[in-house]
Amino acid sequence: MFQHADATALADELTELRRRLHRDPELGLDLPRTQGRVLEALEGLPLEITTGRGLTSVTAVLRGGRPGPAVLLRADMDALPVTEDTGLPYASENPGVMHACGHDLHTAGLVGAARLLAAHREELAGDVVFMFQPGEEGDGGARIMIEEGVLDAAGSRVVAAYGLHVFSTQVPKGIVATRPGTLLAASDTFDVTVTGRGGHGSMPHLTRDPVVAACDMVTALQTRIAREIDVHDPAVITVGVFHAGTARNVVPGTAEFSATVRTYSDAVRDQVQALVERTLRGVAAAHDVDVRVDYSRQYPATVNPPAEAAFALGTALDLFGPTRVFEAPRPVSGSEDFSFVLQQVPGAFLAVGACPPDRDPATAPVNHSPQAVYDDGVLPDQALLLATLAARRLALHRPGTAADPAAPGATALLPAPPATGTAAATTTAGEGA
């Protein structure tokens, strides 16, 4: 249905849009200027457009020329609280805010997919829902859009959903990867307050020192993870914040620390939460201090059904050839709130290499870095891949066609990962929480 030339013809337009978004990044769930630019870019296309109530999302529905179900394509639009240090002529003009994770490319690429699909609307055997989402970076925007009805925007529940993420490092520009099963980790957090009894640093025996207790808790957590969690279904706990005291010779009354947890299965996710709470309370009892644990489940693991992963890889293989597509050998420890979509409907999430050709993918700054740079040249490929996934998935539901997403273009044999890295296998970039 689509030719590479059709997507290439959009390159200048998509690059200009991406750079406008990059210059003016916005954070969280409220992205009014970004929303306005998306609406402007979609103007003139035969789309049914609605905007969010609890967030500045854009949902657009393209009605196909033939009857059929609906599929969903998604892009996230929010930036990060990062001060840009790239020296690009289109660098962020907003202090302390940067599109360091490539969501500006995702947004522009989805606009390109909408243009390609709209040009072939009469050939589509069903409808396409375009999901332009704020608040991926820790705010759970996908969950809010689901609550507001994005999965049913076409009038019935979409039968599949697809999204992708660009990477500034690890693999060369244009490499496409995903895997069946768990692709990205679940992300949870916990905040801990340890309360003891303060006093003078020269007389610790008259205090109940919360600092020593909290330090013991941090090391105990690492020990318990190593002893209780199966190494073949791992978990990672990272304490990134630790605060206590105001003077070197005073034992404070409280100590606080905060951590993030990554897991790859629901069973281990439950196990780690119980482990954390049990360990912290046990250490607190040993030190005769009080502890409060506020444990919060954030994003579930991003899981690709095997048939959908095979369909996505097969489609990419048909489009880009065997030197640019591979099946990732293991999950990524980053997280994504597209996981909420894949909990509701089948689909697949993919990784696309966007490392500039003048940089070494093995050493290029990672996603979320102030120096992260992405190559605009991947925008036509993003648009072509998303549009083709939608059109082919709809074609599976034509009368007399088996509705097996692995049927067209699926392959059991994929090339090994590129020597420079494994895009969807090693990097921790692209996480939302």
Side-chain angles (χ1 to χ4, degrees):
M1 180 179 293
F2 310 108
Q3 303 297 320
H4 283 267
D6 298 330
T8 302
L10 298 173
D12 290 345
E13 175 187 346
L14 299 183
T15 297
E16 194 277 334
L17 172 60
R18 182 257 164 161
R19 295 186 178 188
R20 287 178 64 198
L21 295 170
H22 194 89
R23 285 192 188 97
D24 189 17
E26 298 176 285
L27 299 174
L29 299 171
D30 188 24
L31 319 175
R33 298 185 302 278
T34 302
Q35 182 190 56
R37 290 190 175 99
V38 169
L39 293 171
E40 180 183 357
L42 298 177
E43 191 173 348
L45 297 180
L47 300 170
E48 300 169 10
I49 294 177
T50 57
T51 55
R53 300 184 299 276
L55 71 178
T56 53
S57 61
V58 176
T59 300
V61 179
L62 177 69
R63 301 293 181 184
R66 292 182 289 161
V71 298
L72 181 144
L73 301 176
R74 176 268 204 166
D76 41 7
M77 304 189 294
D78 56 322
L80 284 159
V82 172
T83 298
E84 182 160 357
D85 183 27
T86 62
L88 293 170
Y90 52 91
S92 171
E93 297 174 354
N94 302 336
V97 186
M98 177 190 175
H99 269 297
C101 203
H103 295 185
D104 48 342
L105 279 85
H106 302 167
T107 302
L110 187 56
V111 168
R115 291 200 169 277
L116 290 174
L117 288 160
H120 294 268
R121 183 175 68 86
E122 295 303 323
E123 302 168 55
L124 295 178
D127 306 326
V128 182
V129 178
F130 302 96
M131 176 182 178
F132 291 92
Q133 177 209 314
E136 192 279 326
E137 296 288 355
D139 293 293
R143 179 166 48 190
I144 298 172
M145 289 191 71
I146 291 170
E147 292 170 355
E148 292 192 354
V150 68
L151 300 181
D152 304 296
S156 61
R157 179 60 53 106
V158 297
V159 297
Y162 304 99
L164 56 78
H165 207 298
V166 295
F167 288 82
S168 64
T169 188
Q170 296 296 311
V171 293
K173 167 189 165 184
I175 297 293
V176 178
T178 193
R179 71 187 308 275
T182 301
L183 176 68
L184 295 159
S187 174
D188 299 323
T189 65
F190 60 89
D191 302 306
V192 179
T193 301
V194 182
T195 303
R197 182 172 62 231
H200 200 285
S202 66
M203 295 178 283
H205 61 289
L206 300 180
T207 74
R208 287 184 290 146
D209 193 337
V211 176
V212 174
C215 290
D216 202 2
M217 289 174 184
V218 172
T219 56
L221 287 171
Q222 302 304 325
T223 301
R224 297 320 311 153
I225 283 287
R227 296 299 89 188
E228 292 190 34
I229 303 302
D230 187 341
V231 296
H232 300 293
D233 191 1
V236 175
I237 294 179
T238 298
V239 176
V241 175
F242 195 110
H243 293 300
T246 58
R248 65 172 61 91
N249 64 338
V250 176
V251 175
T254 61
E256 300 174 334
F257 64 91
S258 299
T260 184
V261 179
R262 309 290 166 153
T263 54
Y264 300 93
S265 69
D266 288 341
V268 171
R269 194 181 192 193
D270 293 339
Q271 186 180 357
V272 169
Q273 180 173 353
L275 177 155
V276 166
E277 294 175 346
R278 183 182 72 249
T279 298
L280 296 181
R281 300 192 197 291
V283 174
H287 285 268
D288 194 22
V289 297
D290 297 322
V291 65
R292 188 184 75 217
V293 184
D294 296 317
Y295 200 102
S296 176
R297 294 202 171 201
Q298 301 290 311
Y299 294 175
T302 302
V303 181
N304 292 328
E308 290 288 355
F311 166 67
L313 286 166
T315 300
L317 191 66
D318 288 347
L319 291 174
F320 307 123
T323 63
R324 289 182 53 191
V325 180
F326 72 92
E327 181 177 312
R330 58 185 181 273
V332 183
S333 54
S335 306
E336 243 286 344
D337 78 345
F338 191 67
S339 55
F340 290 117
V341 175
L342 292 181
Q343 281 188 328
Q344 300 291 322
V345 297
F349 197 65
L350 302 95
V352 176
C355 181
D358 62 347
R359 298 194 174 202
D360 181 354
T363 59
V366 301
N367 293 32
H368 290 212
S369 165
Q371 294 85 33
V373 175
Y374 303 85
D375 194 321
D376 293 321
V378 302
L379 289 168
D381 287 346
Q382 288 178 240
L384 181 63
L385 177 57
L386 290 171
T388 304
L389 285 168
R392 286 191 175 186
R393 191 65 169 83
L394 290 175
L396 290 177
H397 289 264
R398 288 177 300 182
T401 303
D404 178 5
T411 177
L413 297 174
L414 289 167
T420 52
T422 54
T426 62
T427 181
T428 57
E431 71 181 54

